[in-house]
Amino acid sequence: MKVSWLSIIINTLLSVYKLLAGILSNSSAMVSDAVHTISDVLSSIIVIIGIKMSYKEADSKHPYGHERFESVAAIILSVILFFIGVSIGFSGIKKIILNKNEVLTVPGTQALVAALVSIIIKEIMYWYTRIAAKKVNSDALMADAWHHRSDALSSIGSFIGIMGAKIGFLFMDPLASVVICLLITVSAISIFIDAIGKMIDKSCDISIIEEMKNTILQEEGVICVDLIRARMFGNRIYVDVEIRAKGDDTLLSTHELAHRVHDVIEKNYENVKHCMVHVNPEI
């Protein structure tokens, strides 16, 4: 929440500064960049809502919890990013096709300064948000971090385009808008694919599953692991395990073994929300 609110404040101030610089400098690239930053404000609000919803306790209507709301927030964010990117690209292409002097003008120096300021601030915000996202394992916050990175990249594109236009290549200013469009849409598609995967019970990485299997085999009484499955539920993991134990063990001892396996998985893997253990007898 602290990161998201800080992001909203910084992006609001930065977007106003870049928009004024773009208008005063007649730079379509900087205006496009400002619109991208304004979308960051909206994305941070969506992140706040998604995270608040995902941390709600389980209830009668949602007995498995609300973690997927964070993935929903990431999907909404990716769709918004995609359409913003397309609109920016369309505007840039339109100006390049027209290619008239009254449409293509030399941008002012204010736009160059604004681009440099934006690159520095947005790259700092990317790393700050990324560290926080990894710390709390938040998909929505990580999506917001990449939004900051895409904004930094778009500002680099703006800087190159504005500089090119100032030295005589007027088409480079709107061309920068097209480059920004591509960066934003690629970022949006990446966020969308990742969030969808976590909405449809995508399996965990095979390396994590193998690591869990080795952890289980270290428990005394476990002969082998017959089956292990792990699925993503938002940013949390559900694990189903079938272990094999001695067939002549008592129900109480096999229950205790299953409980130990359950506890060791949930203790060693903080992203695991629940581990279900079934015991098969060795015949």
Side-chain angles (χ1 to χ4, degrees):
M1 291 302 150
K2 176 185 174 183
V3 172
S4 294
W5 280 114
L6 182 63
S7 177
I8 288 172
I9 294 169
I10 291 175
N11 282 325
T12 300
L13 295 173
L14 189 60
S15 61
V16 171
Y17 170 57
K18 290 202 289 189
L19 187 61
L20 288 174
I23 293 171
L24 293 174
S25 303
N26 294 314
S27 172
S28 60
M30 185 47 60
V31 171
S32 298
D33 204 3
V35 172
H36 187 193
T37 305
I38 292 169
S39 73
D40 282 353
V41 177
L42 181 59
S43 74
S44 295
I45 294 172
I46 293 171
V47 167
I48 288 173
I49 295 171
I51 291 175
K52 272 190 170 292
M53 292 293 290
S54 69
Y55 276 92
K56 287 177 64 177
E57 295 292 330
D59 53 38
S60 58
K61 290 185 178 181
H62 304 90
Y64 292 96
H66 299 77
E67 281 83 2
R68 280 182 174 158
F69 276 104
E70 194 169 334
S71 295
V72 172
I75 290 171
I76 293 171
L77 173 57
S78 69
V79 172
I80 291 172
L81 269 174
F82 181 82
F83 282 106
I84 287 172
V86 170
S87 64
I88 289 172
F90 179 77
S91 175
I93 291 171
K94 185 178 176 182
K95 287 189 176 183
I96 293 171
I97 292 173
L98 288 175
N99 197 22
K100 295 177 181 177
N101 290 333
E102 61 267 25
V103 175
L104 301 181
T105 56
V106 179
T109 305
Q110 301 99 316
L112 273 179
V113 176
L116 281 173
V117 171
S118 178
I119 291 166
I120 295 168
I121 292 176
K122 297 304 290 187
E123 188 64 17
I124 291 171
M125 286 303 298
Y126 163 73
W127 284 105
Y128 177 62
T129 308
R130 185 176 185 272
I131 291 169
K134 282 185 172 292
K135 185 177 180 180
V136 299
N137 190 37
S138 170
D139 295 332
L141 203 57
M142 184 59 77
D144 206 23
W146 278 105
H147 201 169
H148 288 306
R149 168 56 67 81
S150 68
D151 208 2
L153 291 173
S154 73
S155 293
I156 292 173
S158 296
F159 182 85
I160 295 170
I162 295 164
M163 181 63 75
K166 285 183 75 65
I167 62 177
F169 301 101
L170 297 182
F171 68 92
M172 286 190 67
D173 187 59
L175 181 61
S177 295
V178 178
V179 174
I180 292 168
C181 154
L182 295 174
L183 291 170
I184 295 173
T185 51
V186 168
S187 174
I189 292 169
S190 175
I191 293 168
F192 181 83
I193 291 172
D194 181 66
I196 287 293
K198 291 174 180 177
M199 290 284 286
I200 59 174
D201 292 342
K202 184 182 75 172
S203 174
C204 291
D205 291 341
I206 189 67
S207 60
I208 296 176
I209 295 175
E210 285 298 318
E211 190 178 323
M212 288 180 179
K213 184 177 179 180
N214 292 331
T215 301
I216 294 168
L217 288 171
Q218 292 175 16
E219 288 299 308
E220 185 179 353
V222 176
I223 296 173
C224 67
V225 176
D226 291 331
L227 176 70
I228 179 168
R229 291 180 297 193
R231 60 188 174 90
M232 298 302 300
F233 186 87
N235 63 337
R236 304 299 297 276
I237 302 172
Y238 278 80
V239 183
D240 296 306
V241 181
E242 289 187 17
I243 60 172
R244 192 176 302 180
K246 291 180 180 179
D248 56 357
D249 282 351
T250 65
L251 176 61
L252 181 60
S253 65
T254 52
H255 171 75
E256 288 176 349
L257 175 59
H259 217 291
R260 289 205 314 273
V261 171
H262 165 276
D263 290 346
V264 76
I265 291 297
E266 292 195 0
K267 178 183 178 181
N268 291 346
Y269 302 90
E270 60 179 20
N271 291 344
V272 173
K273 183 171 183 179
H274 183 62
C275 177
M276 180 67 73
V277 183
H278 175 80
V279 182
N280 296 323
E282 175 78 355
I283 300 174

